[in-house]
Amino acid sequence: MDLRHLLIQLVIAIVCAGVAGILIPRKMPGGAVGLLIIGLAGAFLGQWTADYLQQQYGFTNPALEWNVEEVAILPSIVGSAIVLYLVTAFLSWGRYGNR
């Protein structure tokens, strides 16, 4: 992995987390750093799940193959939405559970 690949992966992670923020309208924790972390975690989760489904069950779909610099776009957006939902759910659960 070179620097160009890493920068493109970071940009895609930020865009995917931004799209996830639009799909799940919740306040993004941590601002820009939180956006980056949620995007990277979501991209990892989405790609891992898509690869698992393809290898284990033979599930193939042309939409899963859309990628930029080997980062799958649709699985990264779905993974970012899941990570955003889980993070904000746990943060609100902890915030309201201490009363």
Side-chain angles (χ1 to χ4, degrees):
M1 176 187 302
D2 58 348
L3 183 62
R4 182 177 149 264
H5 180 73
L6 179 65
L7 290 175
I8 289 173
Q9 191 169 11
L10 291 175
V11 168
I12 291 171
I14 290 172
V15 169
C16 289
V19 171
I22 293 170
L23 294 175
I24 300 177
R26 295 186 177 204
K27 186 175 181 204
M28 190 80 60
V33 175
L35 187 75
L36 179 64
I37 292 171
I38 287 173
L40 287 174
F44 174 75
L45 175 70
Q47 283 189 290
W48 180 81
T49 305
D51 289 343
Y52 179 77
L53 289 174
Q54 287 175 351
Q55 291 174 358
Q56 194 71 17
Y57 300 108
F59 180 74
T60 58
N61 190 339
L64 295 177
E65 302 298 324
W66 299 339
N67 61 28
V68 175
E69 291 291 325
E70 299 177 10
V71 177
I73 301 299
L74 189 61
S76 297
I77 291 172
V78 172
S80 296
I82 291 170
V83 170
L84 175 63
Y85 178 78
L86 291 175
V87 166
T88 55
F90 281 125
L91 288 177
S92 66
W93 174 63
R95 188 175 311 134
Y96 298 120
N98 291 333
R99 290 185 180 181

